[in-house]
Amino acid sequence: MRRLPCRLGAMALGVLMALTSASAQESSTRLVLFEDIPLGPLPLGLEEQRYLAFGEAIFDYYSDHQFAALSGLKVNQVRGLFDEHTEYAELLLGELFVNYGLPAQAEEIFDRLLKQDILSRTRAETWLHKADLHYRQGQYGAARDILESNRLRDLKPEQQPRRQLMLANILISQGEFRAATRELDAVDPNSVAGAYAGYNIGVAMIRAGQTDTGLARLDRVAGLPPGDEEINALKDRAALAMGLTELQRQRSDQARAALLRIRADGPFSNEALMALGLANYERGAARAALPLWLELVRRNPAHESVQEAMLLAPRAYEDLGAQTQALAGYRFAAEQFRNALRDIEQAIRSVDGAGWLASLTPAQVDSRSSDPMAWLTRFGTARGAQVMYLHALFAERGFAENYRQYQQLVRLRDTLARHQRELPVLLATLSQRQQQLDGILPRIRAELVALRQQQQQLSDRTMLLAMGMPRQLDIDTPEDLADLPQLIMWQRIDALLDSGRGGSRQRDRLARLRGLLLWDIANQAPEQRQRQEQDSAALRTDAELIGLRIAALEQLVRDASLALRSDLGARLNAQKQRIDRLLADADSAINDLGQVLKNDALRVLALQRVRLGEHLAEAHLSAARLQDTSANGGRGDRP
């Protein structure tokens, strides 16, 4: 009867183990939602890496950091992330080559893309970029062949205005105004491109002889609601074109109405004041024209309208009978023209000297400004008013394109020079690292060998511990199933019983205590065995992790050893020599292009010097004529 509780305990233990096994099987087959989602970082696939790198390039491109976009694309090509078949990256790279004045490289990319099996929309966009390349190079025939063909029929709707405006400009330059008008009529009139198209249509129609229709088109543009600085400048330009056209038709009232729509502080205010004065003068209102020209006289004499006003204002005084004021006006104009000639001479000497292009830093040029003289005004204030005479030069498409390429070359040269300065630091750092590694690698290798031996011993002991654990619970060896306090109590009781001290009553009490401890150990045996197995598995996992960490350290040591024997120093020296050659090539290209820009600037300044000389002669002749008239008994001053 005394063994019945033990049998019940064994049966309970068996039932508990059966239930635990069944519960484990059930949990292994049960579907658990949202618990299998990885919470840590996941590695990116190839396409995800490509899109991420391309997104960075696009961000740099639209942030006006085109060199960073170009560098990023080239670096990812070297890394193997982009190749000839990643058409979106190739298309952006070709456009960047176009912007950097590298037509051969850009056309090579476009031709390679067109030979591949790509989407029809991508193919159409590639053809559009190729047409733009021909357009920028002045190859209007080749550009027109592409723009008028069916190769661009799959363009995106938002890209169509670019095609239409480009084709219309080519047609206008070739004198086909009616065809240009048909192209521009297809542009959405409510867009910014539509506003430019409306202006171009008006100009094309006027040149084609359809003056009334062209003026109506320009009137629509001039009547647009106020917008940003670009739209407001286009409105002023349309109104100025209307006014000048009406002046040519000798319709002074209509010209005056159109010119009054131009803003007084806009980029075309000088031309507007000049033309408005002429409109008043043509209708016989010299007194109304005079204040407008006098206002112009106070402005910068580098502008052609100001120079014309200096001669027209005294003429108006003559018509009003104010001979003294007219003579003073001609003398004032002669003095201003002499000063302007001195400024032009100084500008010619400045341009002909060294470093004049370097002083025009990109930070001082705002290509988004609607006023082409805005940056020249700021620069002229700091460097001298004579620089203002170059405004006509920067309005020329060829010079502006060459100057943009000059800026890009200077930026590339600065980047190469920065890398050239960084390479000696890299070489010195590499030498220092190699010396440090030579000194510490032997000691680290010895320590890693000792750590590997200790880890192997730990792995062996944990394996022996796991193998030494009995597969089944054995109540005859309770010390294997007891926790630490129970084990200590069991050993003390055994020691007291083995000592033989105390009477039979004392020994009986120790036996009963031992039985209670045995029951307690047996009761907790399943949980204790489960904890032991968990601890053993954790020890094996820790030993494996230590082995992995040691393996990682060994790999680092091997990498460091390879770095000591690598040719990185030789490759850095080779890169330094290559950068030196590239710097020499960049300096040569900058000097050649700078000489071209200098020749263009000297040509423009020489033409302006001739025109100012003619104005000076006319002012002197007019002043002499008035003096002769006064000496010969002319009618004299009349207020």
Side-chain angles (χ1 to χ4, degrees):
M1 294 297 294
R2 291 182 178 273
R3 297 183 61 87
L4 183 59
C6 294
R7 290 179 180 177
L8 289 175
M11 291 175 62
L13 181 62
V15 172
L16 178 62
M17 293 178 64
L19 290 175
T20 303
S21 175
S23 176
Q25 293 178 0
E26 180 183 358
S27 64
S28 64
T29 59
R30 185 178 58 201
L31 178 63
V32 180
L33 295 178
F34 306 113
E35 292 187 1
D36 56 344
I37 298 178
L39 302 178
L42 295 177
L44 295 177
L46 178 60
E47 287 301 319
E48 288 83 358
Q49 295 181 40
R50 284 177 173 174
Y51 289 145
L52 181 61
F54 184 70
E56 293 178 356
I58 285 290
F59 178 79
D60 290 332
Y61 178 79
Y62 285 107
S63 300
D64 201 19
H65 299 153
Q66 296 192 6
F67 183 73
L70 179 61
S71 300
L73 290 174
K74 296 299 291 183
V75 167
N76 286 309
Q77 278 186 347
V78 175
R79 291 173 53 195
L81 203 58
F82 297 140
D83 54 23
E84 298 178 353
H85 303 287
T86 50
E87 64 274 1
Y88 50 88
E90 287 285 282
L91 197 59
L92 179 60
L93 186 61
E95 186 171 357
L96 287 169
F97 279 146
V98 172
N99 294 338
Y100 271 93
L102 300 171
Q105 292 82 346
E107 190 165 13
E108 181 182 354
I109 290 177
F110 296 150
D111 291 339
R112 185 168 63 243
L113 284 174
L114 292 173
K115 293 178 182 178
Q116 297 178 11
D117 185 15
I118 57 179
L119 296 175
S120 60
R121 180 167 293 180
T122 306
R123 184 178 298 276
E125 188 175 353
T126 304
W127 278 115
L128 181 64
H129 284 298
K130 190 167 183 178
D132 182 54
L133 175 63
H134 292 312
Y135 178 77
R136 292 195 182 197
Q137 292 180 294
Q139 302 172 359
Y140 293 153
R144 179 177 177 178
D145 290 341
I146 297 174
L147 295 172
E148 290 182 333
S149 66
N150 292 328
R151 302 164 184 166
L152 304 181
R153 62 179 179 272
D154 294 323
L155 274 180
K156 297 178 182 177
E158 58 269 20
Q159 292 175 330
Q160 286 292 343
R162 180 181 175 186
R163 181 195 71 82
Q164 292 158 344
L165 288 174
M166 198 186 309
L167 179 57
N169 289 337
I170 293 174
L171 293 172
I172 291 173
S173 67
Q174 295 176 348
E176 301 183 25
F177 302 112
R178 295 182 183 275
T181 302
R182 288 194 300 270
E183 289 294 332
L184 294 172
D185 275 333
V187 183
D188 181 12
N190 297 321
S191 62
V192 176
Y196 279 99
Y199 175 82
N200 290 340
I201 288 175
V203 174
M205 285 183 170
I206 291 173
R207 292 182 180 180
Q210 303 177 16
T211 306
D212 292 334
T213 308
L215 289 174
R217 295 277 188 168
L218 292 175
D219 184 64
R220 293 180 193 174
V221 178
L224 290 173
D228 55 11
E229 187 62 28
E230 183 179 10
I231 292 297
N232 292 335
L234 185 62
K235 291 173 55 182
D236 291 346
R237 191 173 182 179
L240 179 63
M242 292 172 59
L244 295 177
T245 303
E246 295 289 9
L247 276 178
Q248 291 177 355
R249 301 173 71 188
Q250 296 181 353
R251 299 174 60 180
S252 302
D253 293 336
Q254 291 81 352
R256 185 173 180 274
L259 294 170
L260 287 174
R261 301 167 69 175
I262 301 175
R263 296 173 297 161
D265 57 346
F268 302 101
S269 60
N270 288 351
E271 293 87 348
L273 288 173
M274 181 65 196
L276 186 58
L278 285 175
N280 291 331
Y281 190 81
E282 290 293 332
R283 65 189 183 95
R287 189 178 296 273
L290 184 58
L292 301 172
W293 291 335
L294 290 178
E295 169 62 26
L296 266 180
V297 168
R298 299 188 182 95
R299 300 192 177 186
N300 195 306
H303 201 282
E304 294 181 10
S305 297
V306 178
Q307 297 170 8
E308 294 291 339
M310 289 181 182
L311 295 174
L312 289 174
R315 179 67 58 85
Y317 274 125
E318 285 190 64
D319 292 345
L320 294 173
Q323 306 298 325
T324 303
Q325 289 85 346
L327 181 60
Y330 286 127
R331 289 174 175 172
F332 174 77
E335 181 182 359
Q336 292 297 316
F337 292 147
R338 282 194 296 270
N339 294 334
L341 282 171
R342 283 196 296 269
D343 290 339
I344 284 187
E345 293 296 335
Q346 292 178 9
I348 290 175
R349 287 194 296 271
S350 176
V351 170
D352 200 26
W356 80 280
L357 277 172
S359 61
L360 305 179
T361 59
Q364 293 169 310
V365 179
D366 186 5
S367 59
R368 296 168 295 180
S369 176
S370 61
D371 184 1
M373 294 181 61
W375 73 272
L376 280 172
T377 302
R378 296 192 297 271
F379 182 71
T381 303
R383 300 286 295 179
Q386 69 272 13
V387 186
M388 293 296 295
Y389 291 96
L390 294 175
H391 72 276
L393 182 65
F394 284 85
E396 295 181 2
R397 180 181 181 85
F399 184 89
E401 183 70 19
N402 288 335
Y403 181 66
R404 186 177 60 82
Q405 294 181 12
Y406 178 86
Q407 289 178 328
Q408 305 293 1
L409 283 173
V410 171
R411 186 181 301 178
L412 289 172
R413 195 218 178 271
D414 292 341
T415 303
L416 290 172
R418 185 176 69 251
H419 290 328
Q420 187 187 42
R421 294 191 298 269
E422 292 172 352
L423 278 176
V425 180
L426 293 176
L427 288 170
T429 304
L430 176 64
S431 176
Q432 182 181 4
R433 292 286 300 276
Q434 288 176 340
Q435 292 177 2
Q436 291 176 351
L437 289 175
D438 282 334
I440 64 175
L441 276 180
R443 178 175 57 84
I444 292 177
R445 290 194 186 95
E447 292 179 357
L448 281 177
V449 170
L451 287 175
R452 174 60 73 182
Q453 293 175 354
Q454 295 176 8
Q455 185 270 337
Q456 188 62 43
Q457 293 175 2
L458 179 61
S459 297
D460 294 342
R461 290 178 182 179
T462 54
M463 186 61 67
L464 291 174
L465 179 63
M467 294 174 60
M469 294 177 61
R471 295 182 177 273
Q472 298 180 352
L473 299 176
D474 188 1
I475 200 66
D476 294 332
T477 57
E479 60 273 10
D480 295 337
L481 303 174
D483 56 14
L484 183 60
Q486 292 172 344
L487 180 61
I488 294 174
M489 181 64 71
W490 184 270
Q491 291 176 352
R492 286 181 178 179
I493 292 174
D494 280 347
L496 290 174
L497 288 174
D498 293 340
S499 65
R501 291 181 296 180
S504 60
R505 186 175 179 181
Q506 182 69 20
R507 293 176 62 84
D508 186 54
R509 292 177 63 185
L510 288 173
R512 288 197 298 271
L513 181 60
R514 182 178 180 181
L516 291 174
L517 181 60
L518 181 62
W519 169 258
D520 191 19
I521 292 173
N523 188 38
Q524 297 181 5
E527 293 96 357
Q528 185 64 24
R529 173 50 57 88
Q530 186 177 5
R531 285 195 294 270
Q532 290 175 353
E533 291 175 350
Q534 292 174 353
D535 293 341
S536 175
L539 285 175
R540 291 196 302 272
T541 301
D542 291 342
E544 292 174 358
L545 287 176
I546 293 173
L548 292 175
R549 291 171 180 171
I550 293 175
L553 291 174
E554 291 172 346
Q555 183 63 44
L556 289 176
V557 171
R558 286 193 293 271
D559 293 341
S561 300
L562 291 175
L564 285 175
R565 299 190 299 269
S566 69
D567 59 342
L568 180 58
R571 287 189 285 118
L572 287 177
N573 284 317
Q575 288 295 330
K576 185 176 183 303
Q577 296 175 2
R578 182 186 178 192
I579 289 176
D580 292 339
R581 292 193 300 270
L582 290 174
L583 277 174
D585 294 340
D587 288 335
S588 177
I590 287 173
N591 292 332
D592 293 342
L593 189 55
Q595 188 61 46
V596 173
L597 296 173
K598 180 182 294 187
N599 293 338
D600 290 340
L602 293 175
R603 172 182 54 82
V604 170
L605 290 173
L607 292 175
Q608 292 189 0
R609 180 171 57 184
V610 172
R611 187 178 66 251
L612 280 173
E614 293 174 353
H615 289 335
L616 179 60
E618 185 177 353
H620 281 305
L621 289 175
S622 298
R625 176 176 51 81
L626 285 179
Q627 289 175 343
D628 291 343
T629 302
S630 177
N632 293 331
R635 58 183 179 176
D637 294 348
R638 186 173 63 192

